[in-house]
Amino acid sequence: MIVRHEGKPPGSVKMTSLEQYLDHLLDLAHRRVGADLSRVLAGSGLQRDEWRVLEALADELGRSMGELAQLVSMNHPTLTKLIDRMVAKSWVQRNVDPHDSRRVLVFITDVGLQTASGLHDSVRAHRQSIDQVLGERKSRQLRSMLAR
């Protein structure tokens, strides 16, 4: 993970005008962490959004498109296109909900499970590198605040 102002004591670097805005700092952190995760995923053939979908479906319970869109923070049209591509790669499949034939559920396939499980160690190491920068306590606090 890229750390800004490395080696400088906290408070010794003057903030730019943009750094005063929490939304800017969160966006910057999102971009940096996302770029780092993209590097972790680079050799797998998975994009970050594809990995997030596979992780969301890894419990093998299946999700409606609405549930999945909410879990991975994507709008429906974008998610539909992504799922189409992932179906073509045999990572996921769509099935009619056995309890409501009007709904379609998305399930991870064995190929998708293999693909995702092959990345667990690398993704865990990525997460741990972030935890090291923040410290375990602050990392837990940040996750808790952002998950609300």
Side-chain angles (χ1 to χ4, degrees), residues 64-127:
S64 70
M65 289 294 283
E67 291 171 301
L68 193 53
Q70 188 172 15
L71 278 173
V72 299
S73 300
M74 294 180 83
N75 64 48
H76 286 265
T78 301
L79 180 62
T80 298
K81 290 175 187 171
L82 178 64
I83 294 299
D84 289 343
R85 289 193 305 270
M86 293 178 76
V87 166
K89 295 176 182 179
S90 300
W91 290 336
V92 299
Q93 64 185 20
R94 291 181 178 104
N95 290 332
V96 174
D97 184 337
H99 304 293
D100 183 350
S101 60
R102 296 169 296 175
R103 280 180 15 138
V104 173
L105 301 178
V106 180
F107 290 88
I108 194 167
T109 64
D110 289 342
V111 174
L113 276 172
Q114 262 187 319
T115 302
S117 66
L119 293 166
H120 282 298
D121 291 343
S122 300
V123 172
R124 184 178 19 243
H126 174 256
R127 188 187 71 227

Side-chain angles (χ1 to χ4, degrees), residues 22 26 134-148:
L22 182 59
L26 288 171
L134 295 174
E136 187 179 327
R137 190 175 123 271
K138 286 182 180 177
S139 182
R140 226 181 9 258
Q141 288 174 333
L142 181 60
R143 279 188 182 87
S144 176
M145 287 187 292
L146 294 175
R148 291 181 187 162

Side-chain angles (χ1 to χ4, degrees), residues 36-38 40-41 44 46 51-52 55 115-131 143:
D36 290 343
L37 181 58
S38 290
V40 168
L41 299 173
S44 70
L46 278 174
W51 173 79
R52 288 179 15 219
E55 279 296 307
T115 302
S117 66
L119 293 166
H120 282 298
D121 291 343
S122 300
V123 172
R124 184 178 19 243
H126 174 256
R127 188 187 71 227
Q128 288 171 341
S129 72
I130 296 167
D131 291 346
R143 279 188 182 87

